[in-house]
Amino acid sequence: MISWIHPGAILILGSILIPVLPGKAKKGYLLLLPALAFLSVLLTHEGTYWTYHFLGQAIVFGRADRLAIVFAYVFSVAAFASMLYGLHVKEDGHHIAAFVYAGSAMGVAFAGDFITLIIFWEFMAFSSVFLILYRKTAKAYAAAYRYILVHIFGGICLMGGAFLQYSQTHSMAFNHVEAGGLAFALILIGFMLNAAVPPLGAWLPDAYPEATVSGVVFMSAFTTKSAVYVLIRGFAGTEILLWLGVIMAVYGIVYAIIENDIRRLLSYHIISQVGYMVAAVGIGTEMAINGATAHAFNNILYKGLLFMGAGSILHVTGKTRLDELGGLYKTMPRTFILYMIAGFSISGVPLFSGFVGKSMILSAAGEEHLSYVWLILTLVSTGTFLSTTLKLPYLAFMAKDRGIKAADPPGNMTAAMGIVAFLCIFIGIYPKYLYDMLPYATHYAPYTLEHVVWSGQILLFTWLGYYIYINKLKGHPGLNLDTDWFYRKGAGVFMAVDREVVAPADSAVGEAYRKVVLRLGSWLSGLSFRFDVGIVDGFLHGLVRFGVWFSSLFSRRSLSFDKGVIDGVVNGVADFTVSLAAVTRRFQTGLVHDYAFGILVGLLVLINVFFLIS
Amino acid sequence: MRFGGVFEDPKKMKVLTRLVYAAMVVFIAIDFVMPRHHEEFFWDRIPGFSSAFGLASCVVLIVVSKTIGKFLLEKKEDYYDD
Amino acid sequence: MIFGIKDVIAVLPEITVAGAASCLLLVDFLIPRERKSAVGVLAIIFVIFAAIFSIFLMGTDVMGTTVFAGMFAVDGFSTFFKYVVYAAAVLSIMLSFHYVKEEGINAGEYYILMLFSLSGMMVMASAKDLLTVYVGLELMSLPVYVLVGFMQGDVRSNEGAMKYVILGAFSSAILLYGISLIYGLTGSTGLHAVAAVLSSGSVNQGALNVAVIMMVAGFAFKIAGVPFHMWAPDAYEGAPTPITAFMSVGPKAAAFAVILRVFMEGLGPAYGKWQIMLAAVAVASLAYGNLTAIAQRNIKRMLAYSSIGHAGYALLGLVAGTSEGVSSVMYYMAVYALMNLGVFAVIIMMRKGGQRGTEIDEYAGLAKSHKGLALVMLIFLFALAGVPPTAGFVAKFYVFMALIHKGMVGLALFAVLMSAVAAYFYIRIVMLMYMREPVKEFELAHSRGIYYVLAIATAGTVILGVYPGFLIELAQKASLFP
């Protein structure tokens, strides 16, 4: 009797069959897989399953406790709804990538040790990048490349941290991170990068808006929320997270308010919302952890719904910029209503799901008497209402009718939105359904008179503020700088250094020696003397090269000189292949000499290393 | 499902706006009389604090964001394309 | 010295390969120019015979003993490495059939030289005496020098060979110097005898330092460790591509076999001395190889630098100096052979007509027209980058664990960091294949040999990644200190 089947395994292994199934059957199968995964989560009892031993380490695929189960639960719901939303997508690869991605997120949720965690962590990065690539635009390709590189960096940090922690604690088990120093920092950085904590979070608004219409719905559910999960697991009560979370919440909302692209606006808004959760993890009390979990649960639903709405607009009109949209409520009424349900949920309007989740975090801050945290998070929630529920729908669905030809999207998309919208309202009306799943038992009652009255006031007066400034917040084209500047502009500098300095250094050093040997070799005997001169001359030559390179930064002309002449001489064997003279020259005076010389220098270096260290 | 242009009908919009104003008044009025069970911060005792805070934070966010955006963050769309 | 029957049985695989190479030299005369591939097929058959003999030896009482007065070992360790070099030779020959015709170097000696080189590698894997080491090393290297320069009309090929020969001789001299010093100090060249004298502590430490440094330098040359790597990019770029594939895995694996045995068994008591120097070489190789690879435009050159980096990873296992470290190096070499041969198979497939397939830019848009080929290339590149669930990930992970168990966390962290750098240039090719539009139509060489290699390498890379247990167990059992 099989006691447990990993829901992630159902999705990942099941996805292999997708390409071989014919039309109708394939669609059924695409919905069957996440449904089975959901069933498997429902049937999961607390316990530890699927433990293996590898290289002397316990590999735990199925550490199922309340925290893991609630995340896996909502992941499987999101996988189902997102797949239904993207059911019309033709490419099998897109579906496979989406399932591997969703399955890996569940793998992360059930991972009981760092090895399993790292493997699924990398899986998530490498599968989700395809959801960007399938957009098949030049911008998407470039964004995908940046996305994967950033995530490789994060994965490496996590891996390094895991190794360090192993060296300190002699255990690969993934629990609350007790290790100190660098191990703590590296693991935290790895997690925070996926949670998009600034300044490590610029990949998110860079990549998500370039993803496919249904791909981004998947992405909004899994990467950041699984990061919140691991933060809860490993870093609950870490004070720095409290402040980073607060900063993050504000940071995201500032960008969301000025952003013009609807999907980028929502992306920034993810950062803001995850900031809430990160702050709650930082508070770390039972109430706060419950709040972070509930908020993540709800957020997966309504954020997915928001992206579904924005995606529908893109799918139908091909536009995502607020300055090009307007008046869609008449032609896309269903989308409009469903979007507004998500908007009301995320803003914490009573009777919608956000109200019952987010308020737990605020109450946790209140219990701990963190007045600044409470004030800032409340301020941010007005920003949420302002940007996603007032500004975006006003400019996209109402405002000036630009006469865009549009209609509600295909049935599967609307149905997916309907299911999620239903859940948003259901949880808002019957919060016990959610509360019973939370990691800690709770008797939290969201619907008190004070709570409702205060929330109502805040929402109503936010509307008033927007009403006053309505013309200030119109969309206009442009792009907003973020920390991705450092690798989008900075990477060029690095590559230039690498190409112009590091790579030629290989040949340049040899070249320097060659000149020395040629010029002086006939009358200078004695290896040590030659070495002396070689070092001096090599250094001078290096300085000259650096000068040339440096000046090339300022002048294209000298850059081409550098590339064309110097590099040409140095490693342009290809340019000389025809000339026999060049060949004999290379044979007689060729770099071999200098390579051999390099070996000798290497020997000396080794000797030095040895005597310096020992 | 059709809305038939609700949001472009000035009359209907006026009714809608009035309803919102009325709701504001009602909520603040309740705030004056309702009993307090949780008093975590001093401002929990001030009636109408939430209204003032909501309006103020909305205005502050808009002004600050637009200012930062205008002077620091906003660039031409082809900024990264060279 | 009188050889017994036992001695002869123990070297049956070597006799098979070397004898086959000698016979094929004669057979070659009978085969017309356009059908020289037959020599290659025969070569493969003989290697398979040798492999069968190796299996056969495992069941006899020769196993686990030394023959030829303790100069030659037949044990699990040598058998493991022999299988790696068999695989390297067979797969490289399979890759060659098409390529040699395309380049017009379709000669019988080509395959025969590979067999001679293979016999040298086999001797190295079993060498239990510094002189056997040296003989094996030269027997392996000399044919490779010729093979690198096999394209007589190609300047780069000649240049690469020239550099390789001269520098190879140079490094051999350094190595010999080290060996003679050891002999002078200990009065023996046998690894066990050397170890015994060294552990007695009655050796002049200064001279021993010099000897160890010379040995490290000599061996580091063979595995292209920085700063003794300079020959590698030129030789890799110039050599016929199947030979590049061959020399990046075969000689490298054999050299690691020798290094492991010499340092762990012979110089084991001097661990404190060579550990520092090998660590220096490993760190320098990791940094230099990976950083320089980023700037390359030629894919063979890039793989040369990447192989320098991989040598650095594998060396780290030796630096750990434990049984676990040794078996991690063994696993690494086996996996590296598979994934690297896979990449080279794709490169060779791209060599057709006017299309050279050596510039990285030529791979732009490959995925548009050739989905399957791009996918296997992606698997190999991910494996080289160390992305799970490929075998490359497990290999690196194993090395890191060995380091950490030894308490060398700093080295492990550095290696992890460098694998992030490495990921950059491997994935750049993947992105090129999948993102760019193709410049022109691709011409691909269709050869059964290449398909076999692709299939074997792909299966190996994936299976050893998902289910690494059995090979790791083999490596652990065959490790020098089981």
Side-chain angles (χ1 to χ4, degrees), chain A residues 164 166 499 506 592 595, chain C residues 163 234 288 297 305 405 409:
Chain A
L164 268 179
Y166 176 70
R499 194 172 297 134
D506 189 24
V592 180
Y595 289 179
Chain C
K163 287 174 182 168
D234 288 341
Y288 187 85
R297 297 192 176 90
Y305 284 107
H405 282 141
V409 182

Side-chain angles (χ1 to χ4, degrees), chain A residues 54-55 57 115 118-120 122-123 126 129-130 133 138 140-142 144-145 148-149 152-153 155-157 159-164 166-167 170 172 182 186 491 494-495 498-500 502-503 505-507 563 571 573-574 576-579 583 586-587 590-611 613-614, chain C residues 155-156 158-160 162-163 166-167 170-171 174 206 209 213-214 216-217 221 227-231 233-234 272-274 276-278 280-281 288 291-297 301 305 324 368 378 382 386-389 393-394 396-398 400-401 404-405 409-410 412-413 416-417 419-420 423-425 427-429 431 434-437 468-469 472 476:
Chain A
F54 169 65
L55 291 180
Q57 306 300 323
I115 301 175
I118 289 169
I119 290 175
F120 282 118
E122 299 281 339
F123 265 43
F126 280 93
V129 76
F130 284 93
L133 287 173
Y141 290 150
Y145 193 23
I148 195 65
L149 287 179
I152 287 173
F153 172 76
I156 292 293
C157 286
M159 195 160 156
F163 282 139
L164 268 179
Y166 176 70
S167 73
H170 303 289
M172 271 288 182
L182 195 57
L186 282 176
F494 173 76
M495 278 307 288
D498 198 72
R499 194 172 297 134
E500 303 297 326
V502 179
D506 189 24
S507 324
K563 273 188 182 154
N571 49 5
V573 187
F576 293 100
T577 41
V578 201
S579 152
V583 175
R586 285 191 82 84
F587 274 177
L591 299 174
V592 180
H593 219 115
D594 319 314
Y595 289 179
F597 204 68
I599 290 181
L600 280 180
V601 175
L603 264 178
L604 289 171
V605 171
L606 264 192
I607 293 173
N608 280 321
V609 166
F610 181 70
F611 285 107
I613 296 180
S614 62
Chain C
V155 178
R156 270 182 287 189
N158 292 339
E159 184 193 330
M162 198 67 190
K163 287 174 182 168
I166 293 174
L167 296 173
F170 190 45
S171 77
I174 295 175
N209 288 338
I213 288 169
M214 294 296 169
V216 168
F221 177 87
F228 311 103
H229 64 285
M230 285 99 145
W231 59 274
D234 288 341
K273 294 186 195 302
W274 53 259
I276 297 168
M277 284 179 280
L278 283 182
V281 172
Y288 187 85
L291 285 174
T292 318
I294 292 179
Q296 301 306 317
R297 297 192 176 90
R301 243 185 133 71
Y305 284 107
E324 190 186 12
K368 295 276 186 304
L378 175 140
F382 275 12
V387 175
F393 171 76
V394 182
K396 275 185 187 158
F397 191 83
Y398 196 10
F400 297 159
M401 289 306 276
I404 289 167
H405 282 141
V409 182
L413 278 189
V416 170
L417 180 73
S419 61
Y424 181 81
F425 58 82
I427 289 172
R428 183 175 56 149
I429 300 179
M431 289 290 162
Y434 279 87
M435 283 165 23
R436 291 259 205 89
E437 290 301 317
I472 285 181
Q476 279 167 346

Side-chain angles (χ1 to χ4, degrees), chain A residues 210-456:
Chain A
E210 306 301 342
T212 62
V213 166
S214 65
V216 74
V217 177
F218 279 97
M219 294 172 88
S220 75
F222 298 118
T223 300
T224 47
K225 273 55 160 201
S226 61
V228 169
Y229 162 78
V230 291
L231 282 173
I232 293 176
R233 177 77 72 192
F235 293 95
T238 306
E239 200 188 342
I240 188 172
L241 285 179
L242 171 60
W243 300 110
L244 282 171
V246 169
I247 292 170
M248 201 174 156
V250 176
Y251 167 93
I253 213 68
V254 166
Y255 277 95
I257 288 173
I258 55 177
E259 189 51 58
N260 181 39
D261 182 296
I262 52 177
R263 296 206 303 167
R264 184 159 283 124
L265 187 159
L266 293 176
S267 303
Y268 273 114
H269 198 257
I270 294 182
I271 296 185
S272 174
Q273 290 288 299
V274 174
Y276 262 90
M277 302 169 210
V278 172
V281 176
I283 296 173
T285 59
E286 287 194 0
M287 165 91 98
I289 296 303
N290 271 347
T293 311
H295 195 34
F297 192 105
N298 291 332
N299 199 269
I300 286 173
L301 298 176
Y302 48 63
K303 183 54 83 178
L305 183 49
L306 289 174
F307 269 110
M308 287 178 187
S312 301
I313 295 178
L314 170 63
H315 183 80
V316 173
T317 69
K319 299 177 197 299
T320 57
R321 285 163 35 162
L322 286 175
D323 60 311
E324 293 173 345
L325 293 167
L328 291 175
Y329 79 97
K330 281 179 283 187
T331 45
M332 304 177 71
R334 286 194 190 88
T335 312
F336 173 60
I337 289 180
L338 293 166
Y339 180 94
M340 288 315 287
I341 290 174
F344 286 143
S345 299
I346 205 165
S347 313
V349 174
L351 298 182
F352 292 90
S353 64
F355 181 78
V356 305
K358 202 193 301 191
S359 53
M360 277 182 118
I361 296 178
L362 287 174
S363 299
E367 275 185 353
E368 299 298 303
H369 299 287
L370 297 161
S371 49
Y372 292 108
V373 174
W374 190 94
L375 283 175
I376 295 173
L377 290 184
T378 308
L379 173 130
V380 168
S381 73
T382 68
T384 297
F385 186 52
L386 174 69
S387 58
T388 54
T389 318
L390 292 175
K391 172 187 155 176
L392 195 154
Y394 176 74
L395 292 174
F397 289 105
M398 301 179 218
K400 190 176 150 206
D401 191 341
R402 292 181 202 270
I404 302 163
K405 277 201 179 149
D408 272 316
N412 64 307
M413 293 168 92
T414 318
M417 290 194 273
I419 291 173
V420 181
F422 166 77
L423 281 173
C424 285
I425 297 174
F426 176 70
I427 293 172
I429 295 171
Y430 183 64
K432 193 172 178 303
Y433 161 76
L434 172 60
Y435 290 169
D436 283 348
M437 282 191 269
L438 294 180
Y440 299 104
T442 180
H443 301 289
Y444 186 73
Y447 288 111
T448 63
L449 184 61
E450 298 144 280
H451 197 170
V452 173
V453 168
W454 289 337
S455 302

